[in-house]
Amino acid sequence: MTTQSLMQQFENADGSFDAIRKDFVIDDNVDYPEPEYLIRLGEVPTLPKGNIVALSAKWKNGKTFFCDILAAIFLGSTAFHNCGNLVKQGKVLFFDTEQAVSDTARIRKTIKKLTPQERHKDFDVFCLRKAGIDSEDEGETISRYEFIIRSIERDHPDLVIVDGI
C-alpha cells in the first residue's frame, strides 16, 4: 500500500488530517519548558523524565550493566565519579525479558551493591522470561507488555528499564 493511499484512507475515515496534524507541529513562537532530568553524567543532564530512551548495541556489549549503572546512579550511588541523581528520590522498575532468573537476580544484587541501603526499597527487578510474549500465548496468564504496563500503573515509577524489547 502506498503512502498516498494510506493518507486517502485516513482522510476518508477520520475527516481532516490537518486538524490533527496541528497538534503535533513545533511552533517557533513557543518557549517549550525543559524537561526534568533524572541523573547527570558529568555535567550533562541525562534521562529526561517522561521520555523514552533506547539503548542499542550488539549482543554481549554491556547494555544490561550500563542499565544497572544508570539505575544505581538514580538510586544515589556515589561509586561513579562526577555522576549523580538530580531528583533525589524516586522508584525504579527493572524488567528483564531475556535472561534466566539467576541472571536477573544478579542484576538486583549488582544494583544493591552500588546503592545506599536506604534506597534498596525504591527498586524492583522482574524476570519476565517465563511470561508470554503475547497475551494470546497458550497457557499464559499475562503477557510481558501487560505485566509492564500494569506495574507502571500500580507503582508510578520515575525510571523504567526494559532490558530486551
Side-chain angles (χ1 to χ4, degrees):
M1 186 173 283
T2 68
T3 303
Q4 184 175 4
S5 62
L6 282 173
M7 288 299 297
Q8 287 171 342
Q9 282 185 347
F10 182 76
E11 293 287 345
N12 294 337
D14 200 51
S16 173
F17 174 69
D18 289 336
I20 295 170
R21 186 174 182 264
K22 69 179 178 166
D23 291 335
F24 298 98
V25 172
I26 300 298
D27 186 340
D28 289 337
N29 299 314
V30 174
D31 190 17
Y32 299 100
E34 282 292 317
E36 178 181 15
Y37 289 91
L38 299 178
I39 65 173
R40 66 175 171 71
L41 301 176
E43 298 304 316
V44 180
T46 307
L47 297 179
K49 190 172 185 177
N51 282 15
I52 296 173
V53 178
L55 174 63
S56 176
K58 290 184 180 182
W59 185 67
K60 292 293 181 192
N61 272 329
K63 297 179 298 292
T64 297
F65 186 61
F66 183 70
C67 289
D68 295 351
I69 292 169
L70 293 177
I73 292 168
F74 178 79
L75 292 166
S77 175
T78 57
F80 304 97
H81 177 68
N82 204 19
C83 297
N85 179 321
L86 296 173
V87 295
K88 303 304 175 209
Q89 286 296 319
K91 176 92 173 150
V92 176
L93 298 181
F94 195 120
F95 302 95
D96 188 293
T97 66
E98 299 171 329
Q99 299 186 85
V101 171
S102 59
D103 294 323
T104 305
R106 194 171 18 257
I107 290 170
R108 181 158 174 84
K109 289 174 186 171
T110 299
I111 295 170
K112 282 178 75 172
K113 285 179 189 175
L114 295 169
T115 58
Q117 186 171 354
E118 65 270 12
R119 295 300 306 276
H120 292 181
K121 66 184 180 342
D122 294 331
F123 74 100
D124 291 314
V125 178
F126 302 92
C127 180
L128 300 182
R129 186 173 176 181
K130 293 187 299 185
I133 293 174
D134 187 330
S135 61
E136 302 299 318
D137 287 350
E138 187 175 322
E140 298 298 335
T141 57
I142 194 166
S143 71
R144 295 171 184 180
Y145 174 80
E146 186 177 10
F147 184 88
I148 292 168
I149 294 301
R150 285 186 176 189
S151 296
I152 291 168
E153 289 171 348
R154 176 185 176 270
D155 294 340
H156 304 285
D158 298 278
L159 177 61
V160 176
I161 297 171
V162 181
D163 189 352
I165 292 183

